[in-house]
Amino acid sequence: MTTETEPAPPASVSPKLSAVEGIKAGSKYLRGDLAEQLAADTDHLSEDGKQLIKFHGSYQQEDRDARKYRQKAGVGKAYMFMIRLKLPGGKLTADQYLAIDDLAARYGNGTLRLTTRQSIQLHGVLKGDLKATIAGINEALLSTLGGCGDVNRNVVCCPAPTGDPVRTQMQALADAVAAHLAPHAGRQAYHELWLNGEKVPDPVAVPVEEAEPVYGAVYLPRKFKTAFALPEDNCTDLLAHCLGFQAVVEGGQPVGYNLFAGGGQGQTNSKPDTYPLLARPVCRVDPDEVVAAAEAVVRLFRDHGNRADRKRARLKYVLHDWGVERFRQVFARDYWKRPLRSPVERPITGADLHHGWHRQRDGKWFLGLSVENGRVKDEGAVRLRSGLRAIVSRVRCTVRLSAQQDALIGDIAAGDRSAVDALLSEYGVPRPETLPMVRKWSMACPAIPTCGLALTESERALPGVVTQLEAALARLGLAGEPISVRMTGCPNGCARPFQSEVGLVGRGGTKYTLYVGGDVFGRRLNFELEDSVPIERIVPKLAALFAAFKGERSPGETFGDYCARTDVERLRQLAGAGG
């Protein structure tokens, strides 16, 4: 007996494009029918509208906490929107910060959410308030265009306002790359929708090369992320990004950049061909070549990224599937069109949280504050949101956000330091030096109740886990260890859990996949220790590993390094994997 199988399509037949590609192609450069949907008396958008509004910096979400009582009442979902700013390098003036804080109070849920990529998210915005909120953001000379969507997202770089030549140049280049890779025709659509800009009669009639000279009519296959970092201060997690520029410094001056490509965190549990990857070195470029190099890599991704399977539609899979040598060849031949120079060996040796008081080169000061999981809020005795507002209003300081979800307030005159310290005390804002190391090095994504992809809690669950970890480490005399712990509600990896020394990735309900063995400086991926661990079992399992680490570590060895060199099966036995 024989069975017939459907023949495979000829090699020349292109795979069917994903549905999102069709939405983008028919959108008239990100317009679609968003204007009509925003004007309609509804509380949510269509499926096409949900996709297009991402390019404008917003996600349609729902209040998942409200599901149970709304279902009992026989009413539908409680729709709301998240709005994300586009903040290259995470910098704001005093007036800009205060304006965003005002908008969070007027239209959001009364909190600010600092992201792991130096931006701010406003949560809980209703559809009827979207236009007023985005208009208010633009009135503050800020934007949300490209905060989400299949384009280059927020460009990150070291936020420390030290004034040194390297960080000053990196910030300028981050601004330049962000401006160059911003959507062109999409900007016109953005102004039409949110800022009452003059409409273009027929945007489809505009030649693609003029309308979107970098992206084309259908933009990128998926999101694209860019970072700048220093070898001795990898505070932006350079290797987690699609594109990274690592400063090459000689005599205190930036003389070039090593270009890295192919990093990324997300994976899908049901697809074994998806996985986190670290970026690989590709070549070296001069400072005046950085913008052109960024465009060249984006164009390569535009042309060769997977547009059929969005789960594998990231630059990291292009580089992984091709190999770094083929990637270099195609990049140089078709996009860079000049000889490649080999990267300069610059090992990553550190990462700085930039906490505490630091002097700037101009004689002023900046203060780095730890913001647990990036949530700027007033809760109990800790009135962080009110405290930051009072400080910014009083001393007119600048605000910079870090890729570790923290806030740096800068350009503070020496004479204002005592006033800032007094306000921190008045509002109950803890100074970083008073916080346990494991808390300062922890990060979480928002997850439930706002993210529709979350399988478990994250932001609301991690503080309790960290409290238990603090106690376990203190008992062992390890309270001073800078152990990085990152939690996400799903395997998309928004808090970069696959590089941390301890990664906790939501599996469902109150269970998490436990990862160990990453690197506090972002140089190494971790590995799975155990799947589906109940949240109440996480700390007991880690405590057993901490005890072994204390007794067996080499001088100066970190917890991540210890786990990476120790036999995996032994670690699993120590942790009682499966029990």
Side-chain angles (χ1 to χ4, degrees), residues 85-93 96 115-120 142 152-161 167-179 226-229 235-236 241 354 398-408:
L85 276 66
K86 193 79 170 288
L87 293 174
K91 64 186 187 302
L92 303 100
T93 66
Q96 288 172 334
T115 75
T116 58
R117 302 199 67 257
Q118 295 185 290
S119 185
I120 294 177
L142 296 169
N152 181 60
R153 301 283 187 88
N154 202 40
V155 181
V156 301
C157 73
C158 178
R167 288 179 174 84
T168 299
Q169 184 184 88
M170 287 198 305
Q171 180 63 70
L173 288 173
D175 290 340
V177 169
T226 305
F228 288 80
C235 65
T236 58
H241 289 76
H354 303 291
T398 57
V399 178
R400 296 206 182 193
L401 313 176
S402 83
Q404 307 289 334
Q405 301 177 304
D406 293 330
L408 282 59

Side-chain angles (χ1 to χ4, degrees), residues 33-46 60 81 126-131 193:
D33 63 349
L34 278 176
E36 293 78 9
Q37 290 196 52
L38 291 169
D41 187 19
T42 61
D43 60 357
H44 64 285
L45 304 174
S46 70
Q60 178 172 294
F81 290 78
L126 300 181
K127 176 172 170 278
D129 293 326
L130 275 172
K131 189 164 185 177
L193 285 167

Side-chain angles (χ1 to χ4, degrees), residues 56 138 145 186-198:
H56 298 265
N138 280 265
L145 176 63
R187 185 185 294 114
Q188 178 63 35
Y190 184 84
H191 279 259
E192 290 174 16
L193 285 167
W194 310 109
L195 309 176
N196 296 314
E198 182 180 349

Side-chain angles (χ1 to χ4, degrees), residues 66-147:
R67 282 182 179 178
K68 289 184 180 180
Y69 74 78
R70 290 180 70 89
Q71 288 172 350
K72 289 180 180 178
V75 294
K77 296 177 179 179
Y79 288 104
M80 57 186 181
F81 290 78
M82 176 271 282
I83 297 175
R84 181 184 296 150
L85 276 66
K86 193 79 170 288
L87 293 174
K91 64 186 187 302
L92 303 100
T93 66
D95 286 338
Q96 288 172 334
Y97 180 84
L98 294 174
I100 300 305
D101 186 71
D102 286 339
L103 291 170
R106 191 178 310 157
Y107 301 118
N109 66 359
T111 72
L112 300 174
R113 184 51 154 76
L114 312 186
T115 75
T116 58
R117 302 199 67 257
Q118 295 185 290
S119 185
I120 294 177
Q121 293 178 173
L122 302 182
H123 288 159
V125 179
L126 300 181
K127 176 172 170 278
D129 293 326
L130 275 172
K131 189 164 185 177
T133 307
I134 293 178
I137 290 169
N138 280 265
E139 286 172 7
L141 304 182
L142 296 169
S143 179
T144 65
L145 176 63

Side-chain angles (χ1 to χ4, degrees), residues 245-305:
F245 292 100
Q246 183 195 49
V248 178
V249 182
E250 294 179 3
Q253 298 294 320
V255 297
Y257 291 85
N258 288 327
L259 186 155
F260 285 74
Q265 290 279 293
Q267 63 182 25
T268 302
N269 290 333
S270 61
K271 289 183 67 66
D273 61 343
T274 63
Y275 24 72
L277 291 167
L278 296 181
R280 303 282 299 278
V282 175
C283 64
R284 179 186 180 276
V285 297
D286 290 337
D288 61 0
E289 295 175 320
V290 164
V291 173
E295 177 183 327
V297 176
V298 166
R299 286 176 177 271
L300 185 154
F301 178 46
R302 176 198 66 192
D303 296 343
H304 296 283

